[in-house]
Amino acid sequence: AFDGAPEPHGHAAILLIESVPHTLIARGVITIHDAVEAVETAADVKNEIGSEMGDTQATLAASLAILKSMSASLSIDVQPLD
């Protein structure tokens, strides 16, 4: 049963996944825009298939909030294109 406490495996997994695009950006493998686009694509897919996968509205909303937070974290570094 879920007791509301943070789940350490989930936190570790999110930290790892959040670090991958930052590492790839730092190494010049992808751009910040590429990373933001990937997170936005993940959010779009989650939104489309969440209910099909049995997500409750609360679970879907929480998942989308995490992805939005990741996108915002990456977007802070985006410089306007001329």
Side-chain angles (χ1 to χ4, degrees), residues 15-67:
L15 181 59
L16 174 64
I17 293 303
E18 283 192 55
S19 71
V20 170
H22 290 283
T23 300
L24 294 174
I25 291 165
R27 292 185 179 180
V29 176
I30 64 172
T31 66
I32 294 169
H33 293 283
D34 293 336
V36 169
E37 184 178 346
V39 174
E40 289 173 352
T41 298
D44 290 344
V45 170
K46 182 63 177 173
N47 209 17
E48 290 176 17
I49 67 169
S51 61
E52 294 172 19
M53 297 186 70
D55 288 354
T56 64
Q57 284 298 317
T59 298
L60 179 59
S63 295
L64 292 173
I66 291 168
L67 291 167

